[in-house]
């Protein structure tokens, strides 16, 4: 194993950057001196689909059950439109100035710093990274539930439904955490493409299975369940109806949440054409694909179970057979979430490591890499990265063990991140970039959109917090079994 000195690497990188900029890029390097980006429309779409078609799809049948046949699909279409529109605004902020040759913004926070600056940069950073932290917790909970579902479905099958098959979730969360500790050593986004493609395939796998089981259940029932206004008062109280409807908004928002990593995904795309053009196409492809899947999975799930739609379509045991098919679906969920966890956490990992390197440039622990031979290749192991990312995974695992409430946590994360990251900052940066006159028609319309989404986020957050409080009333940390 060989240690590489940071000063030598920095000197070489500096020379490469100067040469590349002077030449306007080269065959091996982009205009910013970094290695040529190789991302395409399809790899960007895979990253987005990996991030979007996640565990959120499993709660959509429950969300539509709270809202009904009219409001449920309408809200889903509304969220898809808002996500697509604001993502297009955000993609134009990847470069400052000229869309083909302007300064690159490597992260969401860099874009906010370029266009808005000041206190808003700190606010954006805190919201983005707390949201990514929350997503990691949500994905840990979802993966654990799916792992338990595999065990439980086989237990129920072998006992003929006589054994309640209760089990403790802690061991499964720890197992998921160990796997994530290993995968978290992948250095950056550019080396995650294969994991994203695998995760995207897995997401389609379990979504199609959920859809197929929903269709089969509707045929078995001989009709469509559900009502125009959703779950009826009587089945739940009037207060529960209100809070659950608000929480459903958060669940749908979570299902479309990926704006906080859009700039990082765009930074993997090669040019020409301009990165923003490719990203807009990737966003359109991804939003259309995910919306079709969401509508099919959510609507058929509600049609199958009506007011009794489970919080998690594939683990709520609305379906019991064929148990082997449920096992395949839940294994696919776990495989997908392993990749999605990494896709979401890379921006946070990168930020902490970049900050540490700037503050401690002479620290060998922070800046030096150890080259570990792996066959014909070598893997660069950074000691600070290994320790920090391991501690991060341990922290998310412990919090997940304390608060294993899938629907409520998903709703809360979606609510907290939707308005600031998906709507407010993209709108404000777009206004600053295009120099849209204050009080002009476009300025007013953009701010009306932002205000409406703020109200939706606040309502969704209130509903999710009410759900968490209700869950905590009967929950014992580290002890409750399912």
């Amino acid at each position: 194993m060989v240690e590489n000195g940071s000063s030598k690497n920095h000197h070489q990188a500096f020379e490469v950057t100067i040469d590349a900029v002077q030449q306007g890029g080269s065959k091996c390097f982009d205009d910013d001196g970094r290695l040529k980006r190789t991302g395409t429309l399809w790899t960007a779409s895979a990253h987005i689909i990996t991030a979007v078609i996640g565990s959120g799809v499993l709660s959509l049948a429950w969300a539509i059950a709270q809202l009904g046949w009219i409001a449920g699909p309408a809200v889903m279409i509304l969220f898809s439109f808002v996500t697509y529109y604001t993502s297009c605004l955000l993609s134009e902020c990847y470069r400052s100035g000229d869309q083909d040759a302007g300064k690159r913004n490597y992260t969401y926070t860099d874009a906010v710093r370029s266009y808005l600056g000041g206190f808003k940069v700190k606010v954006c950073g805190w919201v983005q990274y707390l949201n990514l932290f929350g997503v990691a917790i949500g994905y840990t909970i979802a993966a654990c539930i799916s792992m338990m579902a595999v065990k439980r479905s086989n237990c129920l099958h072998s006992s003929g439904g006589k054994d309640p098959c209760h089990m403790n979730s802690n061991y499964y969360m720890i197992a998921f955490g160990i796997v994530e500790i290993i995968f978290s050593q992948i250095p950056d986004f550019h080396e995650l493409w294969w994991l994203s493609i695998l995760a995207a395939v897995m997401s389609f796998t379990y979504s199609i299975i959920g859809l197929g089981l929903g269709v089969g259940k509707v045929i078995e029932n001989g009709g469509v369940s559900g009502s125009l206004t959703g779950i009826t008062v009587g089945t739940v109280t009037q207060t529960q109806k209100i809070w659950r409807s608000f929480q459903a908004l958060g669940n749908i928002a979570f299902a479309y949440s990926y704006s906080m990593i859009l700039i990082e995904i765009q930074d993997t795309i090669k040019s020409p054409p301009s990165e923003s053009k490719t990203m807009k196409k990737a966003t359109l492809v991804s939003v259309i694909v995910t919306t079709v899947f969401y509508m099919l999975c959510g609507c058929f799930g509600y049609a199958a179970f009506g007011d009794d739609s489970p919080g998690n379509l594939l683990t709520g045991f609305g379906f019991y057979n064929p148990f082997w098919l449920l096992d395949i679906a839940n294994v696919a969920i776990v495989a997908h979430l392993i990749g999605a966890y990494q896709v979401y956490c890379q921006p946070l990992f990168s930020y902490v490591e970049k900050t540490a390197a700037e503050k401690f440039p002479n620290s060998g622990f922070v800046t030096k890499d150890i080259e570990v031979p792996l066959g014909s290749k070598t893997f660069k192991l950074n000691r600070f990265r290994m320790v920090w990312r391991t501690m991060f995974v341990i922290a998310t695992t412990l919090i997940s063990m304390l608060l294993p409430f899938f629907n409520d946590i998903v709703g809360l994360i979606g609510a907290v991140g939707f308005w600031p990251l998906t709507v407010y900052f993209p709108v404000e940066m777009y206004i600053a970039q295009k120099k849209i006159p204050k009080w002009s028609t476009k300025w007013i319309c953009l701010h009306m959109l932002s205000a409406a989404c703020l109200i939706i986020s606040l309502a969704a957050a209130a509903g999710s917090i009410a759900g968490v409080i209700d869950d905590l009333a009967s929950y014992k940390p580290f002890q409750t079994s399912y």
Side-chain angles (χ1 to χ4, degrees):
M1 295 192 292
V2 181
E3 290 196 354
N4 295 324
S6 61
S7 59
K8 182 180 178 181
N9 288 342
H10 290 164
H11 180 67
Q12 291 173 339
F14 179 75
E15 289 180 344
V16 166
T17 302
I18 294 296
D19 291 343
V21 171
Q22 287 175 344
Q23 297 169 17
S26 68
K27 291 182 179 180
C28 299
F29 299 96
D30 274 327
D31 55 355
D32 60 345
R34 297 192 177 188
L35 287 173
K36 275 281 186 184
R37 291 157 177 83
T38 57
T40 64
L41 166 65
W42 303 113
T43 60
S45 298
H47 280 313
I48 296 171
I49 291 170
T50 298
V52 178
I53 302 185
S55 55
V57 69
L58 303 174
S59 66
L60 291 179
W62 181 90
I64 292 178
Q66 312 314 307
L67 299 170
W69 280 118
I70 297 176
V75 168
M76 205 176 296
I77 291 172
L78 175 65
F79 272 96
S80 68
F81 171 76
V82 170
T83 300
Y84 170 69
Y85 180 70
T86 57
S87 294
C88 287
L89 301 185
L90 183 57
S91 68
E92 294 200 17
C93 299
Y94 171 65
R95 286 184 183 266
S96 301
D98 191 319
Q99 287 300 303
D100 293 310
K103 174 182 170 293
R104 295 174 187 263
N105 295 306
Y106 301 116
T107 67
Y108 194 117
T109 308
D110 286 344
V112 174
R113 183 179 292 108
S114 295
Y115 287 104
L116 303 178
F119 182 67
K120 289 182 179 179
V121 178
K122 292 184 178 180
V123 173
C124 171
W126 277 105
V127 173
Q128 182 190 15
Y129 298 131
L130 282 173
N131 197 260
L132 293 174
F133 186 73
V135 168
I137 293 169
Y139 281 1
T140 302
I141 295 169
C144 163
I145 291 172
S146 288
M147 285 189 279
M148 289 195 298
V150 173
K151 177 75 173 176
R152 194 176 177 197
S153 69
N154 286 277
C155 173
L156 289 170
H157 179 74
S158 61
S159 68
K162 296 176 182 178
D163 186 345
C165 301
H166 291 305
M167 60 193 73
N168 193 293
S169 62
N170 294 339
Y171 305 110
Y172 298 92
M173 289 191 184
I174 291 170
F176 182 78
I178 291 171
V179 172
E180 290 302 344
I181 286 173
I182 296 170
F183 278 100
S184 68
Q185 299 310 312
I186 296 174
D188 55 40
F189 244 128
H190 302 275
E191 298 180 42
L192 275 178
W193 63 269
W194 62 273
L195 192 57
S196 277
I197 292 174
L198 174 64
V201 171
M202 293 297 101
S203 68
F204 281 119
T205 300
Y206 67 74
S207 296
I208 290 170
I209 291 173
L211 171 62
L213 291 172
V215 172
K217 187 73 173 178
V218 170
I219 294 172
E220 181 187 321
N221 293 342
V224 173
S225 301
S227 63
L228 295 179
T229 56
I231 192 166
T232 55
V233 176
T235 304
V236 294
T237 66
Q238 182 69 49
T239 303
Q240 285 177 319
K241 169 72 174 176
I242 294 170
W243 288 129
R244 284 185 171 203
S245 296
F246 287 164
Q247 185 183 332
L249 297 176
N251 283 39
I252 296 173
F254 178 83
Y256 278 102
S257 175
Y258 80 96
S259 294
M260 75 283 286
I261 59 172
L262 183 145
I263 296 292
E264 285 82 352
I265 293 173
Q266 193 166 342
D267 190 44
T268 67
I269 296 173
K270 65 182 178 181
S271 63
S274 68
E275 299 86 359
S276 62
K277 288 182 180 178
T278 303
M279 196 63 190
K280 286 177 183 178
K281 290 179 182 178
T283 297
L284 180 62
V285 169
S286 303
V287 169
I288 289 174
V289 169
T290 53
T291 300
V292 169
F293 263 80
Y294 284 176
M295 292 291 283
L296 290 172
C297 292
C299 291
F300 272 105
Y302 181 44
F305 299 108
D307 288 355
D308 295 325
S309 295
N312 186 317
L313 189 61
L314 292 173
T315 62
F317 289 94
F319 303 117
Y320 288 95
N321 285 300
F323 78 99
W324 57 269
L325 189 59
L326 284 170
D327 289 350
I328 292 173
N330 281 297
V331 168
I333 291 172
V334 175
H336 169 258
L337 292 176
I338 288 171
Y341 185 105
Q342 294 302 320
V343 169
Y344 266 99
C345 291
Q346 280 296 333
L348 179 53
F349 290 162
S350 177
Y351 169 75
V352 172
E353 288 152 22
K354 179 183 175 183
T355 303
E358 289 172 353
K359 289 191 175 183
F360 307 102
N362 299 318
S363 170
F365 177 74
V366 174
T367 60
K368 288 183 180 178
D369 292 336
I370 299 173
E371 293 188 351
V372 181
L374 289 176
S376 59
K377 297 183 179 180
T378 58
F379 177 78
K380 291 185 177 181
L381 180 67
N382 180 280
R383 286 168 290 185
F384 174 75
R385 181 175 69 223
M386 181 176 66
V387 173
W388 136 245
R389 295 189 183 189
T390 298
M391 295 303 294
F392 174 88
V393 175
I394 290 172
T396 58
T397 303
L398 285 173
I399 295 173
S400 301
M401 291 163 68
L402 279 169
L403 300 170
F405 315 128
F406 177 72
N407 274 75
D408 301 322
I409 296 298
V410 161
L412 185 58
I413 295 167
V416 170
F418 174 68
W419 176 71
L421 299 175
T422 302
V423 183
Y424 175 75
F425 284 116
V427 165
E428 293 299 315
M429 286 191 287
Y430 181 76
I431 289 173
Q433 182 194 52
K434 300 300 182 183
K435 296 180 173 60
I436 298 173
K438 199 172 185 179
W439 303 113
S440 64
T441 302
K442 191 167 189 178
W443 186 92
I444 292 171
C445 289
L446 286 169
H447 279 92
M448 286 177 64
L449 170 65
S450 183
C453 290
L454 172 60
I455 293 170
I456 291 172
S457 281
L458 291 173
S464 298
I465 290 170
V468 170
I469 292 171
D470 188 47
D471 286 333
L472 286 172
S474 58
Y475 174 70
K476 295 180 179 179
F478 302 110
Q479 296 178 25
T480 300
S481 297
Y482 298 88

